């Protein structure tokens, strides 16, 4: 019974769901409007962008790397989306073009990290500056407005009562989850992050996996940009700035470890929802919006530090149980031998 | 050891060489660039990067990273402004501000040193918390986000805008900071311990060094540096704003890494960081003179960061060795 309990407690997805439920009950008990269906639907809709990016980021984090360029990638992709839309191109051309932007950025990141041996934080920090600057050269520092109405209306399009952005997020979660848990190449991400040298020695294409993870991360930022333009209807020149930090915070909240090999796509997604819920709940608590960052930051630190202490405790406990269990078995053997 | 020192010196010389070439090129593009007074006063624009980057060097040498420095800068600016607005003498307010910044860094340090959470996550959370508190302070005292708190007394504004013996004050402060932190890192037992923690934390612990205290103290220094930088910037603009350092993280980390500090820890120098900050600042200044906006210059700063690490990753020694073997 105990080992099973520990396994459940170790599953980070569960603790985040419990946190989320507790948070809903807490805020709901103060303001009943918070737990109505409308509010929850709104919260999930507004977390779609962060959720998509957190899924992409989790691939990079799983390989023991980090991508801080996603915010600026989202900005550049949003600018590309906006310019192509206002020039009147068809969606069949725009979507591939925007995704290609992401692929190119991810490819550059991945090549520098896998083949140039540049630490990922440095490479993506440098790319953050480069991409942000490129976006501003591209838009000449202007905001892009006049996004055609048909595109803006897409965000309201709904199937079975679920709007398009949320459908995209759900499909991505399911596809990525199945890919990373059920396919051979998906498992490579865990293997590389858990033990890179080991992965090299068993013959995994480590460099290709690294490049792929950065492409996934950048493409997720491009998809988020498509959703962003759909939701907001214009492209400010600061689009996506600071987003990378929210994305990483969301993934970490969802139990993805920055040291690689631990975490799941579903966890990252839940983390993104939780992060959005925290920052949107303040309105319902009648706290002024400028408390937002302080409270999310404090909760992030509290949860991450608390969880790290808790996991250390659990690890010690389970180690003791295993030791005791072995002792018990030995004792049993000895007894049987004496009887015979 | 001698070999290592030689290599470090070489890197710093390379930086100085690069700086000279850069000055020459920009001088060709616009003749007014090379005017000595212009150059000295242009440094006021980016001294704050060096002031923040120098103490961050300590953190990166221990193998950590601090992305909350920009937020500490904004926090200290707004703390100073709010204290002054409420009638505290501006110099006492300045001291309290530096203390607050050091405490902020100390909190980061305690979490990094005493828990298993990675430095990046801790300082990321710290960044949200500090910039959040700054927003609360400015929002709570109903300061408009764009204008900030202004109307500081002339003596305080003179701190960053005045001059002494013909040299602008910020450059004096930079020189002082280089001397102080350079001495601390390169000539004291504390500095050697910082290096040892970065090279091999386990060995450092077994040789009786209180590694946790060392790690915690480096974050405290970084916080103090962020506070100093925020104060100077507040005085320079003579206005206190909560978003003062929000764009500073990229140039600060770039300065430290371009200055030869290894992101894996164990290697680095204060002089390198200082020279690299000047290189970055001059690049930005020069590019702005040829009509680029400061955000567009990020393309160049980012490329510099990546190229510098690529160059340092290449094993020149191995290459020259293999070349000489081939010659034989």
């Amino acid at each position: 019974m105990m080992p099973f309990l520990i396994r459940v407690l170790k599953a980070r997805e569960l603790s985040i769901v419990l946190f989320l439920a507790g948070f809903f009950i807490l805020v709901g008990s103060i303001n009943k409007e918070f737990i109505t269906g409308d509010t929850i639907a709104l919260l999930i809709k507004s977390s779609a962008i962060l959720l998509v990016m957190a899924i992409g980021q989790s691939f990079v984090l799983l390989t023991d790397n980090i991508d801080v360029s996603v915010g600026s990638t989202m900005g550049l992709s949003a600018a590309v989306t906006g310019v192509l839309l206002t020039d009147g191109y068809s969606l069949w051309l725009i979507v591939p073009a925007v995704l290609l932007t992401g692929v190119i950025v991810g490819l550059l990141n991945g090549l520098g990290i896998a083949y140039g041996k540049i630490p990922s934080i440095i490479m993506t920090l440098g790319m953050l500056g480069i991409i942000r600057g490129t976006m501003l050269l591209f838009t000449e520092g202007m905001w892009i407005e006049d996004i055609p109405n048909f595109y803006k209306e897409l965000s309201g399009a709904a199937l079975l009562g679920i709007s398009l952005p949320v459908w995209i997020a759900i499909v991505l979660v399911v596809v990525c989850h199945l890919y990373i848990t059920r396919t051979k190449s998906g498992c490579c991400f865990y293997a590389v992050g858990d033990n890179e040298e080991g992965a090299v020695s068993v013959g995994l294409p480590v460099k290709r996996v690294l490049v792929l993870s950065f492409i996934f991360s950048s493409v997720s930022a491009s998809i988020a940009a498509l959703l962003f333009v759909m939701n907001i209807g214009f492209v400010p020149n600061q689009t996506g700035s600071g987003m990378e930090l929210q994305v990483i915070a969301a993934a970490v909240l969802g139990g993805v470890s920055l040291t690689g090999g631990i975490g799941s796509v579903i966890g990252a997604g839940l983390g993104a929802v939780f992060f959005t819920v925290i920052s949107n709940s303040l309105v319902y608590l009648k706290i002024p919006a400028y408390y937002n960052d302080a409270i999310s930051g404090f909760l992030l630190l509290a949860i991450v530090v608390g969880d790290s202490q808790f996991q250390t405790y659990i690890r010690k406990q389970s180690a003791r149980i295993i030791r005791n269990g072995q002792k018990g078995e030995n004792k049993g053997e000895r007894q049987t031998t004496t009887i015979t | 050891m001698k070999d290592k020192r030689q290599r470090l010196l070489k890197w710093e010389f390379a930086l100085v060489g690069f700086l000279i070439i850069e000055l020459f090129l920009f001088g060709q593009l616009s003749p007014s660039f090379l005017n000595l007074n212009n150059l000295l006063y242009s440094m006021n624009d980016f001294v704050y990067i060096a002031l923040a980057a120098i103490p961050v060097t300590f953190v990166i040498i221990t193998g950590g990273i601090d992305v909350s420095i920009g937020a500490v800068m904004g926090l200290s600016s707004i703390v100073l402004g709010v204290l002054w607005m409420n009638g505290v003498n501006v110099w006492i307010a300045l001291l309290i501000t530096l203390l607050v910044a050091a405490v902020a860094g100390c909190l980061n340090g305690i979490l990094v040193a005493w828990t298993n959470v990675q430095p990046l996550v801790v300082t990321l959370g710290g960044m949200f918390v500090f910039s959040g508190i700054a927003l609360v302070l400015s929002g709570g005292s109903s300061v408009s986000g764009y204008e900030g708190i202004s109307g500081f007394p002339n003596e305080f504004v003179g701190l960053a805008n005045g001059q002494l013996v013909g040299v602008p004050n910020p450059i004096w402060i930079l020189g002082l900071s280089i001397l102080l932190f350079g001495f601390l890192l390169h000539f004291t037992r504390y500095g050697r311990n910082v290096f040892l923690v970065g090279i091999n934390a386990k060995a450092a612990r077994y040789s009786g060094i209180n590694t946790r205290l060392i790690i915690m103290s480096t974050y405290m220094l970084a916080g103090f540096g962020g506070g100093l930088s925020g104060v100077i910037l507040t005085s320079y603009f003579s206005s206190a704003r909560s978003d003062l350092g929000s764009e500073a993280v990229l140039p600060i980390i770039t300065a430290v890494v371009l200055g030869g500090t290894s992101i894996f820890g164990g290697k680095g120098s204060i002089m390198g960081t200082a020279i690299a900050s000047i290189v970055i600042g001059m690049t930005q200044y020069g590019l702005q003179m040829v009509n680029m906006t400061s955000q567009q210059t990020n393309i160049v700063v980012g490329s510099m960061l990546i190229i510098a690490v690529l160059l340092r990753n290449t094993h020149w020694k191995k290459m020259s060795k293999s070349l000489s073997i081939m010659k034989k």
Side-chain angles (χ1 to χ4, degrees), chain A:
Chain A
M1 185 58 206
M2 249 328 247
F4 173 73
L5 199 68
I6 284 169
R7 207 165 64 221
V8 172
L9 282 175
K10 264 186 173 170
R12 186 55 189 271
E13 291 83 4
L14 186 79
S15 54
I16 195 87
V17 167
L18 287 179
F19 265 125
L20 200 55
F23 195 79
F24 263 105
I25 292 168
L26 185 76
V27 180
S29 67
I30 298 169
N31 187 339
K32 291 224 167 49
E33 271 173 47
F34 191 66
I35 34 178
T36 56
D38 282 355
T39 315
I40 293 171
L42 196 71
L43 282 175
I44 290 176
K45 193 181 169 191
S46 56
S47 63
I49 290 176
L50 194 62
L51 203 156
V52 168
M53 287 170 85
I55 296 170
Q57 182 76 236
S58 62
F59 281 95
V60 171
L61 293 179
L62 281 176
T63 65
D64 192 12
N65 281 296
I66 195 162
D67 187 351
V68 295
S69 69
V70 283
S72 56
T73 310
M74 176 184 160
L76 181 64
S77 305
V80 172
T81 315
V83 167
L84 291 181
L85 272 173
T86 44
D87 284 354
Y89 287 98
S90 90
L91 272 185
W92 298 110
L93 189 95
I94 293 171
V95 173
V98 173
L99 295 184
L100 189 67
T101 316
V103 171
I104 292 171
V105 171
L107 196 64
L108 284 176
N109 274 333
L111 289 179
I113 289 154
Y115 294 93
K117 301 238 171 348
I118 302 173
S120 54
I121 173 100
I122 297 295
M123 182 71 199
T124 52
L125 193 64
M127 286 296 280
L128 176 134
I130 295 174
I131 300 166
R132 173 71 53 198
T134 310
M135 174 199 173
L136 292 170
L137 278 181
F138 182 61
T139 61
E140 290 160 349
M142 311 276 239
W143 289 29
I144 301 167
E145 282 154 350
D146 311 323
I147 301 289
N149 270 330
F150 82 90
Y151 191 71
K152 286 191 258 184
E153 278 157 10
L154 278 181
S155 80
L159 186 67
L160 303 175
I162 298 173
S163 64
L164 182 66
V166 179
W167 269 118
I168 292 177
I170 292 174
V171 168
L172 275 177
V173 170
V174 171
V175 168
C176 290
H177 176 73
L178 290 180
Y179 170 66
I180 209 162
T181 53
R182 296 278 186 275
T183 67
K184 236 184 210 170
S185 65
C187 292
C188 287
F189 292 94
Y190 283 99
V192 171
D194 197 37
N195 183 348
E196 191 172 335
E197 280 163 26
V200 172
S201 5
V202 296
L204 294 182
V206 171
K207 288 186 173 164
R208 222 182 311 153
V209 171
L210 286 180
V211 175
L212 207 59
S213 71
F214 281 93
I215 291 179
F216 283 161
S217 160
S218 297
V219 169
S220 78
S222 296
I223 297 173
L226 287 169
L227 298 181
F228 177 85
V229 179
M230 203 182 279
N231 279 347
I232 309 289
F234 59 93
V235 184
N237 57 14
Q238 287 303 328
T239 304
S241 110
M243 198 68 190
E244 58 277 357
L245 301 172
Q246 288 185 33
V247 171
I248 294 164
V252 168
L253 262 184
V256 183
S257 159
L258 283 195
T259 45
I262 302 170
S264 71
V265 168
I266 292 185
L270 283 171
V273 174
F274 192 24
F275 200 78
T276 318
V277 168
I278 293 173
S279 49
N280 283 318
S281 63
L282 298 183
V283 185
Y284 296 91
L285 294 174
K286 299 202 168 58
I287 296 174
Y290 51 75
Y291 277 88
N292 220 327
D293 279 2
I295 292 177
S296 343
F298 179 73
L299 278 177
L300 172 69
L301 277 182
I303 291 173
V304 170
V305 170
D307 187 68
S308 118
Q309 300 303 89
F310 182 65
Q311 298 293 348
T312 325
Y313 172 75
I314 290 279
R315 216 172 302 138
K316 272 185 194 152
Q317 286 294 311
S318 52
R320 214 185 62 199
I321 287 169
I322 289 168
R323 253 202 327 272
N324 286 349
Q326 279 170 349
K327 253 185 222 157
E329 278 168 24
N330 289 343
K331 218 181 269 167
E333 273 170 28
R334 206 179 303 144
Q335 272 170 358
T336 46
T337 44
T338 43
I339 288 168
T340 50

Side-chain angles (χ1 to χ4, degrees), chain B residues 64-280:
Chain B
I65 195 163
D66 192 341
V67 293
S68 72
I69 286 303
V72 174
M73 285 165 67
L75 175 65
S76 44
S77 175
I78 212 74
V79 165
L80 182 69
V82 167
L83 282 174
W84 185 75
M85 224 170 65
N86 290 314
V88 180
N89 175 300
V90 82
W91 301 113
I92 295 174
L94 194 155
L95 286 180
I96 298 176
T97 303
L98 290 180
L99 193 71
V100 168
V103 168
C106 190
L107 289 179
N108 277 335
I110 288 173
L111 288 182
V112 172
W114 273 276
T115 68
N116 286 330
V117 186
Q118 300 93 333
L120 187 65
V121 179
V122 169
T123 53
L124 191 67
M127 186 184 138
F128 277 111
V129 172
F130 302 145
S131 65
I133 293 176
L135 271 178
V136 170
L137 281 176
S138 72
S141 44
S142 57
V143 180
S144 123
Y146 290 103
E147 286 160 26
I149 303 168
S150 53
F152 286 103
N154 282 335
E155 306 93 74
F156 176 71
V157 176
L159 186 68
N161 291 299
Q163 58 175 34
L164 193 70
V165 214
V167 176
N169 283 342
I171 298 183
W172 286 111
I173 298 173
L174 173 62
L176 211 68
S177 155
I178 292 175
L179 279 181
L180 192 77
F181 286 108
F183 180 76
L184 189 62
L185 183 62
H186 296 295
F187 296 98
T188 63
R189 171 184 291 200
Y190 172 75
R192 278 197 296 278
N193 288 350
V194 168
F195 275 106
L196 188 53
V197 169
I199 292 166
N200 190 337
K202 251 185 198 162
R205 195 159 52 241
Y206 288 141
S207 57
I209 296 170
N210 190 341
T211 49
R212 287 181 164 161
L213 203 65
I214 297 277
I215 289 176
M216 194 270 279
S217 65
T218 58
Y219 285 89
M220 204 169 83
L221 287 179
F224 175 81
L228 187 65
S229 171
V231 166
I232 296 297
L233 213 52
T234 308
S235 157
Y236 185 55
F237 292 134
S238 73
S239 119
R241 291 173 49 167
S242 60
D243 61 347
L244 213 58
S246 55
E247 294 275 324
V249 178
L250 173 66
I252 289 174
I253 307 274
T254 308
V256 178
V257 173
L258 188 64
T261 302
S262 160
I263 196 81
F264 302 116
K267 249 192 275 178
S269 80
I270 295 297
M271 216 42 214
T273 301
I275 299 173
S277 321
I278 297 174
V279 168
I280 292 168

